[in-house]
Amino acid sequence: MELISPSPGASPALHPCYSEQAHRHFARLHLAVAPKCNIQCHYCNRKHDCANESRPGVVSELLTPEQAVQKTLAVGSAIPHLAVVGIAGPGDPLANPEAVFAVFRALTEKAPDLTLCLSTNGLALPDHIDELCQHHVGHVTITVNCVDPDIGAQIYPWIVWQGRRLRGREAAEILITRQLQGLDLLVARGVLVKINSVLIPGVNDQHLVEVNRVVKAKGVFLHNIVPLISRPEHGTHYGKIGQREPTDAELAALRNVCAGEDGETGMMNHCQQCRADAVGLLGQDRGAEFTLEKVAALSVDWQAAIVKRAAVRAAVEQRLAMQARFLQSATRPSGTVRRLPTPATPTLRVAVGSTDGQTIDAHFGQVREFLIYDVSPHGAQWVERRSLNSRYCNGPTTCGDGNATLPDAIQALQDCAVLLCARIGFEPWRPLENAGIQPNSEHAMESITGALPAVYQEWQKSGRLDFTPASARSRAQNGFT
Ligand code: CLF
Ligand code: SF4
């Protein structure tokens, strides 16, 4: 059997869409440099300037390649856990190859650590395999909604192929052939291919099991079945004719069937159906912080940003290794020795404000995301990165709409007993404390790994930790588990 080496750009462990674990820790940035499309899907209506609509195909600003590179460097400097830059629209990236490859070329030089990603309908894919591999694009998504042209004719009203507009079954047949051909070529080059399929009730719902079988047999890394988004106000064909969206139960049932009886992996279950200009962790959109105007006003040191991102990655790896050790020791079999039950040890849930994932260096007012840990006598286990809808403080000296956003912060941290940050003002301190979240800035600028056990011991010494199971239960709602 021929062994295929992975593409140099293939790194699923850092990719928030390719790894469920990575999506808690690493962000993606979508660059909207691809306005044109070479096909029409009945569920698509590309829109600009629609900040409140969150679905693929919608963007607030179209970018030139130069603007896209500038934006990447700015975002990569402000969000050090950025790991992936994807081009996913608002049209089809490979119907706009000049712009797309100009961006990839520039980023290979100025942000070589960022993973490049592309999402396409696949019609032009076989023509661009070499170029994608030259730029180390190690992750490619192809949207395959059917492998049967008769079903395709109900999804795609037309395609533009070799300068002609084709319709109906003939169009769908060419599209499917090109998608599967592109898939084979990418897999042969070690690129990690993900297939997205839109579940359209009454059109391809029964058929997607067959799509899953075909693409899995071809060696795809992941299959991501997403629900049709179809509302009249979106102006799509399906929206206008009242084509219904699938229910959550229908989607879950189909994903289960495709995952197989053995619970085989290979299905993606955490897709957020992002906008084509999304910024941040999956499910989060920080695009409004990086408009063209704001990006132009930022001064960016892109070389320093590469160093900072490397530090964040190392910190994540360290935390994950720590977590793996923790889990391993917690589940280590006890052999034949029968142990007496040990008293339950309460776990202290701590929120940490950190810009680099290593040091407690963030001011409460400036934090958009907290790192959440569970600390116990066995060590500190990283739980997740948790975001706020907005910052408490909008400026260096004023606290802007802080009073309005504090309830949001309290809500987001309600299961945490301690909040560690570099600085925090008196105004937010008291309401946080009243909500059972103890602010603490005494460990400012210390390493997270050093401060967490110290905080745990402080709580233990001051009698706020009580190791009786009953107490642990009663405190569970206040940050103890
Ligand atoms: Fe973007 Fe897509 Fe790359 Fe991810 S999204 S181009 S693979 S970096 Fe991810 Fe968003 Fe779902 Fe796409 S959650 S819509 S699957
Ligand atoms: Fe819209 Fe993408 Fe379909 Fe083109 S391929 S019509 S951009 S959904």
Side-chain angles (χ1 to χ4, degrees):
M1 190 175 124
E2 192 194 349
L3 279 180
I4 298 164
S5 333
S7 152
S11 50
L14 297 180
H15 197 305
C17 306
Y18 280 66
S19 155
E20 187 141 13
Q21 187 176 56
H23 100 274
R24 294 176 217 283
H25 311 303
F26 294 112
R28 52 73 178 106
L29 160 67
H30 280 172
L31 298 171
V33 293
K36 291 180 280 181
C37 194
N38 46 10
I39 71 173
Q40 180 62 54
C41 307
H42 274 323
Y43 50 75
C44 177
N45 177 25
R46 296 183 292 286
K47 268 196 191 174
H48 299 167
D49 293 326
C50 189
N52 298 318
E53 216 175 278
S54 189
R55 61 181 171 88
V58 174
V59 294
S60 289
E61 290 176 323
L62 275 175
L63 306 176
T64 64
E66 295 72 29
Q67 289 166 336
V69 173
Q70 204 184 358
K71 181 170 180 175
T72 305
L73 301 183
V75 172
S77 174
I79 303 182
H81 52 282
L82 179 72
V84 173
V85 176
I87 302 187
D92 186 72
L94 296 180
N96 304 261
E98 297 82 9
V100 166
F101 288 110
V103 172
F104 285 160
R105 228 179 344 268
L107 291 184
T108 305
E109 186 201 335
K110 293 195 166 168
D113 59 315
L114 295 178
T115 296
L116 302 179
C117 186
L118 178 131
S119 179
T120 175
N121 63 41
L123 182 62
L125 181 57
D127 305 330
H128 294 285
I129 302 293
D130 285 344
E131 222 169 347
L132 287 166
C133 292
Q134 270 163 25
H135 291 89
H136 296 169
V137 180
H139 304 76
V140 172
T141 295
I142 314 171
T143 300
V144 178
N145 297 318
C146 56
V147 288
D148 175 342
D150 288 322
I151 294 176
Q154 301 169 55
I155 301 172
Y156 309 106
W158 52 258
I159 69 168
V160 174
W161 172 241
Q162 299 180 334
R164 287 192 309 138
R165 190 175 296 247
L166 305 178
R167 297 175 189 277
R169 193 181 192 284
E170 182 190 14
E173 190 159 26
I174 291 170
L175 177 62
I176 293 165
T177 304
R178 299 278 292 173
Q179 288 171 335
L180 298 182
Q181 191 186 349
L183 165 53
D184 286 337
L185 292 168
L186 287 174
V187 170
R189 300 284 285 267
V191 174
L192 299 180
V193 181
K194 175 163 73 64
I195 298 298
N196 280 5
S197 300
V198 181
L199 168 56
I200 311 163
V203 177
N204 68 352
D205 45 353
Q206 306 294 320
H207 176 62
L208 283 181
V209 177
E210 172 65 3
V211 172
N212 178 264
R213 191 193 61 75
V214 169
V215 299
K216 265 190 189 162
K218 287 182 174 292
V220 301
F221 188 83
L222 274 178
H223 189 193
N224 175 27
I225 300 179
V226 295
L228 171 73
I229 300 175
S230 173
R231 321 260 160 83
E233 63 271 24
H234 295 162
T236 63
H237 172 75
Y238 280 154
K240 287 183 197 159
I241 65 166
Q243 166 65 51
R244 78 167 174 92
E245 298 173 351
T247 63
D248 290 347
E250 285 170 329
L251 179 64
L254 179 60
R255 283 176 174 168
N256 275 342
V257 171
C258 292
E261 278 176 12
D262 57 353
E264 184 192 334
T265 51
M267 298 302 292
M268 178 179 182
N269 293 310
H270 61 286
C271 176
Q272 299 293 323
Q273 294 184 279
C274 322
R275 290 165 57 99
D277 57 3
V279 182
L281 296 172
L282 295 193
Q284 183 186 55
D285 194 0
R286 296 177 58 179
E289 292 172 51
F290 301 98
T291 59
L292 284 175
E293 202 185 336
K294 289 181 181 165
V295 164
L298 291 173
S299 94
V300 171
D301 180 343
W302 57 269
Q303 280 156 322
I306 293 174
V307 174
K308 197 165 183 187
R309 289 196 295 269
V312 167
R313 252 168 242 156
V316 171
E317 273 161 10
Q318 192 189 18
R319 281 197 296 264
L320 291 177
M322 194 166 79
Q323 188 170 326
R325 279 199 301 276
F326 174 86
L327 289 174
Q328 208 178 14
S329 68
T331 56
R332 193 170 291 145
S334 57
T336 53
V337 180
R338 188 146 172 258
R339 289 185 183 171
L340 290 172
T342 48
T345 52
T347 301
L348 187 66
R349 181 156 286 186
V350 182
V352 178
S354 171
T355 63
D356 62 2
Q358 292 176 306
T359 318
I360 302 166
D361 62 351
H363 293 196
F364 173 72
Q366 300 294 333
V367 177
R368 277 297 299 262
E369 287 168 357
F370 288 94
L371 304 176
I372 308 294
Y373 292 85
D374 279 342
V375 192
S376 75
H378 307 296
Q381 187 184 1
W382 188 22
V383 178
E384 62 184 1
R385 199 181 277 279
R386 196 173 289 170
S387 36
L388 306 181
N389 290 330
S390 55
R391 289 190 183 98
Y392 176 73
C393 178
N394 284 327
T397 53
T398 63
C399 275
D401 60 351
N403 288 337
T405 58
L406 189 54
D408 171 40
I410 290 173
Q411 169 73 20
L413 304 181
Q414 62 177 341
D415 58 339
C416 299
V418 186
L419 161 62
L420 291 180
C421 53
R423 241 174 75 184
I424 179 166
F426 181 72
E427 266 189 56
W429 185 294
R430 189 47 60 83
L432 282 161
E433 207 171 38
N434 290 343
I437 304 161
Q438 181 61 58
N440 181 336
S441 55
E442 283 165 24
H443 296 273
M445 305 316 293
E446 286 180 20
S447 77
I448 298 172
T449 44
L452 289 174
V455 169
Y456 192 84
Q457 280 170 14
E458 287 158 21
W459 276 60
Q460 199 172 7
K461 270 192 203 148
S462 65
R464 282 178 288 178
L465 288 181
D466 180 340
F467 287 87
T468 65
S471 166
R473 273 198 302 277
S474 71
R475 285 167 179 244
Q477 287 162 336
N478 196 17
F480 294 91
T481 52

